[in-house]
Amino acid sequence: MSTRRHLLAASAGGAALAGLSSALPLAAAILVPTPAQSRGPFYPAEIPLDNDNDLVRVAGYDGRAQGQVTDLLGRVLDERARPVPAARIEIWQCNAYGRYHHPWDRRNVPLDPGFQGYGRFTTGAEGRYRFRTIKPVPYPGRAPHIHFAVSGPAIPTLVTQMYVKGEPANDRDALLNRIRDAKARERLIVPLLPQTGGDLLGHFDIVLIADGSFGT
């Protein structure tokens, strides 16, 4: 693992996260669970050998992924705002041309050998995660989105999708708008803000339905 990838892993435990998880009193808060969404047809048919939390560099390939580099940070929490440790988070998404690295996606757009397309990360004691990926792009019928799956020992599995705030296609995305409750729908829509150097940064906290078997 490169030095940069060590930094990615280490920073997940020490990043100061904005948003709901940073300001809530742990004992009293009751959070709205993150809505579940479809896994979709393009979950990897075979997990790539390079499957860490840095999707913009692929082991053995000198180039970087096409697209705008985006850092995604967040925490996995339960409804009482307690961190969920040992949660395995998987993400997958299409490349900057709108194509998934999947044998079923045969659209006539390029593959990107520099884009990993899938990554995973396991949360520590504070429930934090971090991924380095690209800003998601639209493709026919779908607003830009990133698939998330959260699972682990004694953890209720959640599959969902993250969307980008301000994208016009959000209003036309049938899957997103299947969530009738506006507040629940907004839980999946994340601002991606510019950082120094031109990369983007998003915070996406994931709230699981508590079953009493995890948390502090």
Side-chain angles (χ1 to χ4, degrees):
M1 181 182 291
S2 67
T3 300
R4 181 176 56 80
R5 294 193 177 191
H6 279 297
L7 290 173
L8 272 175
S11 61
L17 299 181
L20 63 90
S21 64
S22 61
L24 290 167
L26 296 184
I30 300 296
L31 306 181
V32 176
T34 300
Q37 292 229 284
S38 166
R39 181 181 295 268
F42 299 126
Y43 181 82
E46 183 176 347
I47 301 300
L49 293 177
D50 193 353
N51 54 49
D52 62 4
N53 62 330
D54 183 356
L55 281 68
V56 305
R57 298 282 185 182
V58 175
Y61 183 79
D62 290 336
R64 182 185 67 76
Q66 299 297 310
Q68 190 166 14
V69 174
T70 300
D71 289 316
L72 292 180
L73 314 178
R75 296 181 75 189
V76 181
L77 306 166
D78 71 11
E79 294 165 289
R80 292 170 56 188
R82 300 175 299 183
V84 179
R88 185 177 76 170
I89 304 176
E90 302 172 90
I91 68 169
W92 63 100
Q93 66 184 103
C94 68
N95 66 23
Y97 305 107
R99 183 173 176 180
Y100 285 87
H101 188 70
H102 193 284
W104 291 353
D105 190 346
R106 300 185 178 94
R107 283 170 289 181
N108 189 26
V109 294
L111 290 170
D112 180 0
F115 183 53
Q116 196 167 287
Y118 168 93
R120 55 189 173 188
F121 189 88
T122 300
T123 62
E126 295 183 344
R128 300 187 191 276
Y129 75 85
R130 180 167 185 163
F131 288 97
R132 189 164 178 81
T133 185
I134 61 170
K135 181 182 179 182
V137 301
Y139 56 85
R142 292 304 316 275
H145 62 280
I146 297 175
H147 296 265
F148 276 72
V150 184
S151 60
I155 293 173
T157 299
L158 173 71
V159 177
T160 192
Q161 298 180 29
M162 188 206 87
Y163 300 81
V164 179
K165 189 175 182 63
E167 287 286 343
N170 288 347
D171 294 337
R172 304 187 298 273
D173 191 281
L175 188 61
L176 175 61
N177 288 283
R178 195 175 296 168
I179 304 170
R180 299 301 183 186
D181 184 272
K183 289 185 178 179
R185 189 167 61 248
E186 285 295 319
R187 298 267 302 121
L188 301 183
I189 301 174
V190 173
L192 298 182
L193 304 177
Q195 304 181 80
T196 302
D199 294 350
L200 299 176
L201 176 66
H203 291 87
F204 182 42
D205 285 345
I206 299 170
V207 179
L208 304 179
I209 296 173
D211 65 358
S213 60
F214 57 84
T216 56

